[in-house]
Amino acid sequence: MSLIVMKFGGSSVGTPDRMRHVAGRILARQREGHDIVVVVSAMGDTTDDLIDLSKQLNPNPPAREMDMLLTTGEQVSIALLAMTIQAMGGEAMSLTGWQAGITTEPVHGRAKIADIAPDRVHAGLKEGRIVIVAGFQGVTEAGEITTLGRGGSDTTAVALAAALNADLCEIYTDVDGVYSTDPRVVRNARKLDAITYDEMLELAHLGAAVLHPRAVEYAKQYNVTLVVRSSFTDREGTQVKEEAAMEQGIVVRGIAYDKNVARISIMGVEDVPGVLAKVFGALADAGIDVDIIVQSGVQDGKADFSFTVSGDVVDAAMQVIEEVRGAVPYREATSESGLVKVSIVGAGMVSNPGVAAQMFQTISGLGVNIKMVSTSEIKVSCVIDAEPLNDVVRALHTAYGLDTNEQAFVGGPQVRR
Amino acid sequence: MSLIVMKFGGSSVGTPDRMRHVAGRILARQREGHDIVVVVSAMGDTTDDLIDLSKQLNPNPPAREMDMLLTTGEQVSIALLAMTIQAMGGEAMSLTGWQAGITTEPVHGRAKIADIAPDRVHAGLKEGRIVIVAGFQGVTEAGEITTLGRGGSDTTAVALAAALNADLCEIYTDVDGVYSTDPRVVRNARKLDAITYDEMLELAHLGAAVLHPRAVEYAKQYNVTLVVRSSFTDREGTQVKEEAAMEQGIVVRGIAYDKNVARISIMGVEDVPGVLAKVFGALADAGIDVDIIVQSGVQDGKADFSFTVSGDVVDAAMQVIEEVRGAVPYREATSESGLVKVSIVGAGMVSNPGVAAQMFQTISGLGVNIKMVSTSEIKVSCVIDAEPLNDVVRALHTAYGLDTNEQAFVGGPQVRR
């Protein structure tokens, strides 16, 4: 007998019909002989509706009261799902975050889970019940209600699976797994049977954000085996775990991309210690995330460096660069928008030299100029112009042997709440 | 410096505008120099909407999960009200039932409060905050979420006032106080300045059920002074307390009535011990509430007796009477529907003989036949035909000196959620 944690997102329980469908899947899984713990998000648009209502009353609502407000969404879901399962002949009980023993750090809106004492979950399972836990929420030691922020329900599921020593944590979503690339770009993208935590983190920005990076990090930390699968079909999903065998002859697991990338270059910066810290410290203080950073060689005691930011914040970033000019003298700062980042990801590339070279050749072969390069042990990223992106992704997908004969499932909404 | 508990019902916070209005009243009360604890119900139709949703998924939902579901309604209200007060420059914090230390017995749907340990309420007040507590809900010792059933938010307010040793518990509603009779029947009904707990209990069935009897009983038990007042006007309300002075020359505080009364008569019952217990035990087992019971004298070892029930259950009651015929032989059982009960209520009538006689004279003077009479220390009730009810109420109102020159406030909805 094994213990499975099943997590359903808000769109999976957005209507009474979907709620019944989910209840049916849960009962089917239980009939296979498993102990079942369910984590569920707020129904459909509930969270957005509550946020809208709060904005009418306070345009800048205190985070503590937002947590008090928003956690009701999941509480409604767990109660209704428990009722639905009971109506279908099952035995279920719902638990809020605090009832499930989910303690967080004392922060509102984006708390991290500090500890889980799942006594009541165990008690419910012992009575033969399906235990349904509210995702996204916890309680501080002082008894304050908190939320875990974006991707919170995924994190609740993984953390519960770790605390319960569950055999599996299934993330049900509206795509049927993790693909070798965005199926909207490459119709014969490959649904992956398995992928490592690190690869999943690198691929997280693929078209459908099927799994929140925080949950993946948590799963990696506690070695929880995840399965991403569809709540609407019976297809096997994608396993996410520490070691995932590569298929014969394949070293790259998938092709990821980021649209809307901008490059900022700062030229002629005096090459003294602390310069980079000043620039990127100022950007961080302004809440601007920097992705790739490249520094070229030093000439005449002056250095040039470039970095990428989201195209949305390029103006704000340029303003910060202007403001630090007093502290960090430089000759010139320029920005270029309308770029994209394309990445190949695969744990196998560490032991396969020439993988990066093949990428550069493939891109150059299309007559596309590579503007920046960044490499890690499992990823090579190139920044290029936006226009040829789809051609580049398709060419890379073919070059690394990822094309299948099967056509990718692209029905249903692609962006998960 | 005094401590005031202010309770607002669901219709008082049913829209963002009303929420802001309530926040304004709370802040005004605080500016007068009081410590303020607020108890609030779920907004407008929230509770009914949640019940409707649950019925779609489970026509007979388990009480535990209904409590889990419905308590979210008050949690939304407290968060939004706290935000609204903050937006208007005040300092507020919300607390759920369990956070406010409200422990109930382990029953779902209609739990009684077992204990209140308001440490966090005190802590919030000490920080200068307005503390907003969710009405209607509590938690068992085992950490199960419970609801208090009908009138639950009134009870929460009174129980908190008792636990906090508050100076006053104000119940804000959509009528501006307790009237000497239904203002829809008698336009110059008298708004009462003060009334005793017992009188309030007897008058509870007046047109607008302004205060739940359970809350009044709780207030009487812990000697909490209540004030019933309008959330829409600034008029002084009605005080409900242990001793309330009668105005000069007035012995009756108010005229109450019950519509839709039926009388059942059982004739020729053998007069042996235990007969009444059998009949009324069987009715109680069938969930039928009996009001007035009258037994006439015994003749030839046979007794006649009559009692009243709500007109809605007269058929069910007659069926029970038929079923007990084996155990309780009788000659004949008859029923009469279309009756009403009219009552005069006043703590002063104990020491004023002739009050009942004046009632009988007044009713008879209108040519109306009195079918049954029941008396208690502070109430005399007569059952009469429904048709002349309004004339009887008006005549009694005048006869007991209750008419005022002021016209009663009858604007706004008369029946409170």
Side-chain angles (χ1 to χ4, degrees):
Chain A
M1 180 122 144
S2 59
L3 171 57
I4 299 180
V5 175
M6 304 172 77
K7 184 261 167 179
F8 294 91
S11 63
S12 301
V13 292
T15 65
D17 277 345
R18 288 189 175 187
M19 185 74 84
R20 273 185 285 269
H21 176 77
V22 162
R25 288 204 79 134
I26 293 167
L27 285 164
R29 211 84 173 98
Q30 189 190 39
R31 275 193 299 271
E32 289 166 15
H34 307 293
D35 278 345
I36 305 288
V37 174
V38 178
V39 172
V40 68
S41 305
M43 293 172 73
D45 299 329
T46 309
T47 303
D48 291 338
D49 291 346
L50 288 172
I51 291 172
D52 288 348
L53 190 53
S54 73
K55 297 281 180 202
Q56 289 179 50
L57 293 164
N58 190 333
N60 189 23
R64 178 190 186 277
E65 302 302 336
M66 278 308 282
D67 282 358
M68 180 68 84
L69 181 69
L70 296 184
T71 49
T72 62
E74 279 74 20
Q75 191 170 330
V76 168
S77 289
I78 58 173
L80 291 176
L81 185 54
M83 286 177 192
T84 307
I85 289 174
Q86 305 247 37
M88 294 166 75
E91 286 294 327
M93 66 181 285
S94 64
L95 294 174
T96 62
W98 63 268
Q99 288 180 324
I102 299 172
T103 310
T104 74
E105 51 174 22
V107 171
H108 288 289
R110 51 184 171 80
K112 288 197 177 70
I113 293 176
D115 187 43
I116 300 191
D119 303 357
R120 294 176 70 176
V121 178
H122 280 303
L125 292 174
K126 209 169 166 185
E127 291 168 13
R129 292 176 192 277
I130 293 161
V131 179
I132 301 168
V133 178
F136 178 68
Q137 61 182 247
V139 67
T140 69
E141 271 187 37
E144 291 283 278
I145 294 173
T146 52
T147 62
L148 310 180
R150 290 198 168 262
S153 290
D154 288 349
T155 308
T156 300
V158 173
L160 260 178
L164 295 165
N165 202 16
D167 297 274
L168 204 59
C169 179
E170 296 182 329
I171 308 287
Y172 287 81
T173 178
D174 44 22
V175 295
D176 63 357
V178 180
Y179 277 81
S180 57
T181 193
D182 187 341
R184 287 171 301 183
V185 173
V186 181
R187 290 290 285 180
N188 55 353
R190 176 188 295 264
K191 183 172 72 63
L192 304 173
D193 293 332
I195 184 173
T196 68
Y197 299 120
D198 288 336
E199 290 170 337
M200 185 69 222
L201 286 169
E202 297 288 8
L203 287 173
H205 294 292
L206 274 181
V210 289
L211 198 50
H212 198 272
R214 238 174 99 188
V216 179
E217 280 166 23
Y218 212 104
K220 177 178 158 77
Q221 188 179 345
Y222 291 98
N223 203 23
V224 173
T225 299
L226 296 175
V227 174
V228 176
R229 60 189 303 177
S230 167
S231 46
F232 304 115
T233 75
D234 279 329
R235 278 190 85 177
E236 291 293 323
T238 300
Q239 283 210 351
V240 187
K241 53 190 181 178
E242 189 57 50
E243 300 270 335
M246 300 300 285
E247 285 179 60
Q248 191 72 30
I250 291 184
V251 290
V252 168
R253 190 85 69 182
I255 318 290
Y257 61 81
D258 267 352
K259 290 184 173 179
N260 195 22
V261 170
R263 175 173 65 167
I264 293 177
S265 300
I266 310 185
M267 267 83 70
V269 183
E270 203 162 332
D271 183 42
V272 293
V275 161
L276 285 179
K278 275 179 195 154
V279 173
F280 293 105
L283 287 165
D285 289 346
I288 294 168
D289 279 332
V290 172
D291 183 15
I292 298 175
I293 301 175
V294 177
Q295 181 172 3
S296 62
V298 179
Q299 227 177 356
D300 301 332
K302 305 277 183 182
D304 297 343
F305 61 94
S306 299
F307 57 91
T308 60
V309 296
S310 162
D312 297 335
V313 297
V314 63
D315 291 341
M318 286 302 286
Q319 197 180 323
V320 171
I321 301 302
E322 190 58 42
E323 283 163 6
V324 296
R325 195 160 201 165
V328 183
Y330 55 82
R331 193 181 69 240
E332 190 187 2
T334 61
S335 68
E336 183 180 9
S337 295
L339 305 177
V340 294
K341 180 178 79 167
V342 61
S343 307
I344 57 171
V345 174
M349 65 176 73
V350 174
S351 50
N352 283 276
V355 175
Q358 191 178 359
M359 185 183 192
F360 304 150
Q361 278 163 18
T362 304
I363 295 175
S364 304
L366 294 170
V368 174
N369 187 29
I370 298 173
K371 298 183 175 253
M372 287 171 89
V373 172
S374 163
T375 60
S376 78
E377 297 209 331
I378 66 163
K379 184 170 83 163
V380 181
S381 299
C382 296
V383 174
I384 58 172
D385 277 333
E387 190 267 324
L389 173 65
N390 286 3
D391 291 337
V392 168
V393 171
R394 280 188 211 108
L396 290 170
H397 200 262
T398 304
Y400 288 106
L402 293 170
D403 294 348
T404 62
N405 295 324
E406 200 178 341
Q407 188 160 302
F409 167 78
V410 288
Q414 286 294 316
V415 177
R416 177 166 137 279
R417 287 173 49 77
Chain B
M1 181 122 144
S2 60
L3 171 57
I4 299 181
V5 175
M6 303 172 77
K7 184 260 169 180
F8 294 90
S11 64
S12 300
V13 292
T15 65
D17 276 345
R18 287 189 176 187
M19 186 73 85
R20 273 186 284 270
H21 176 77
V22 163
R25 289 205 78 136
I26 293 167
L27 284 165
R29 211 83 172 99
Q30 189 191 38
R31 274 194 298 271
E32 289 166 15
H34 308 293
D35 278 345
I36 305 288
V37 174
V38 177
V39 173
V40 68
S41 304
M43 292 171 74
D45 299 329
T46 308
T47 303
D48 291 339
D49 291 347
L50 288 172
I51 290 172
D52 288 348
L53 189 54
S54 73
K55 297 281 180 203
Q56 289 180 48
L57 293 165
N58 189 333
N60 189 22
R64 178 190 186 277
E65 302 301 337
M66 278 309 282
D67 282 357
M68 181 68 84
L69 181 68
L70 296 184
T71 49
T72 62
E74 278 75 19
Q75 191 170 328
V76 168
S77 290
I78 57 172
L80 291 177
L81 185 53
M83 285 177 194
T84 307
I85 289 173
Q86 304 247 39
M88 292 167 76
E91 286 295 327
M93 65 180 285
S94 64
L95 294 174
T96 62
W98 63 269
Q99 288 180 324
I102 299 173
T103 310
T104 73
E105 52 174 22
V107 171
H108 288 290
R110 50 183 172 81
K112 288 196 179 70
I113 293 175
D115 187 43
I116 299 189
D119 303 355
R120 293 176 71 177
V121 178
H122 280 303
L125 292 175
K126 209 169 165 185
E127 290 168 14
R129 292 176 192 278
I130 293 161
V131 180
I132 301 168
V133 178
F136 179 67
Q137 62 183 245
V139 67
T140 69
E141 272 187 35
E144 292 284 278
I145 294 173
T146 52
T147 62
L148 310 180
R150 290 197 169 264
S153 290
D154 287 351
T155 308
T156 300
V158 174
L160 261 178
L164 294 165
N165 201 17
D167 298 273
L168 203 60
C169 179
E170 296 182 328
I171 308 288
Y172 287 81
T173 179
D174 44 21
V175 295
D176 63 357
V178 181
Y179 276 80
S180 57
T181 192
D182 187 341
R184 289 170 302 184
V185 173
V186 180
R187 291 289 285 181
N188 55 352
R190 177 189 296 262
K191 184 171 73 62
L192 304 173
D193 293 332
I195 184 172
T196 70
Y197 299 121
D198 289 335
E199 289 170 336
M200 185 69 221
L201 287 169
E202 298 287 9
L203 286 173
H205 294 292
L206 273 182
V210 288
L211 198 49
H212 198 272
R214 237 173 100 189
V216 179
E217 281 165 22
Y218 212 104
K220 177 178 158 77
Q221 188 179 345
Y222 292 96
N223 203 24
V224 173
T225 300
L226 297 175
V227 173
V228 176
R229 61 189 303 176
S230 167
S231 45
F232 304 115
T233 75
D234 280 329
R235 276 190 86 178
E236 290 294 322
T238 300
Q239 282 211 350
V240 187
K241 54 189 181 179
E242 190 56 50
E243 301 269 335
M246 300 299 287
E247 285 178 60
Q248 190 74 28
I250 291 184
V251 291
V252 168
R253 189 86 70 182
I255 319 288
Y257 61 82
D258 267 350
K259 288 185 175 179
N260 195 20
V261 169
R263 175 173 66 168
I264 293 177
S265 300
I266 309 184
M267 267 85 69
V269 183
E270 203 161 333
D271 183 41
V272 293
V275 161
L276 283 180
K278 275 180 195 154
V279 173
F280 292 105
L283 287 166
D285 289 347
I288 294 168
D289 279 332
V290 172
D291 184 15
I292 298 175
I293 301 173
V294 176
Q295 182 173 2
S296 63
V298 179
Q299 226 176 359
D300 301 333
K302 306 277 184 182
D304 298 343
F305 62 93
S306 299
F307 57 90
T308 61
V309 296
S310 163
D312 297 334
V313 297
V314 64
D315 292 341
M318 286 302 286
Q319 196 179 324
V320 171
I321 301 303
E322 190 57 42
E323 283 163 6
V324 296
R325 194 161 201 164
V328 183
Y330 54 82
R331 192 181 72 239
E332 189 187 2
T334 60
S335 70
E336 183 180 9
S337 296
L339 305 177
V340 293
K341 181 178 79 167
V342 61
S343 307
I344 56 171
V345 175
M349 64 177 72
V350 174
S351 50
N352 282 276
V355 175
Q358 189 178 1
M359 184 182 192
F360 305 150
Q361 277 163 16
T362 304
I363 295 176
S364 305
L366 294 168
V368 174
N369 188 28
I370 296 174
K371 299 184 173 247
M372 288 171 88
V373 172
S374 163
T375 59
S376 78
E377 297 209 331
I378 66 163
K379 184 171 82 164
V380 181
S381 299
C382 296
V383 175
I384 59 173
D385 278 332
E387 191 268 322
L389 173 65
N390 286 3
D391 291 338
V392 168
V393 171
R394 280 187 211 109
L396 290 170
H397 201 263
T398 304
Y400 289 106
L402 294 169
D403 294 347
T404 61
N405 294 324
E406 200 178 343
Q407 188 159 302
F409 166 77
V410 288
Q414 285 295 315
V415 177
R416 178 167 136 277
R417 287 172 47 78

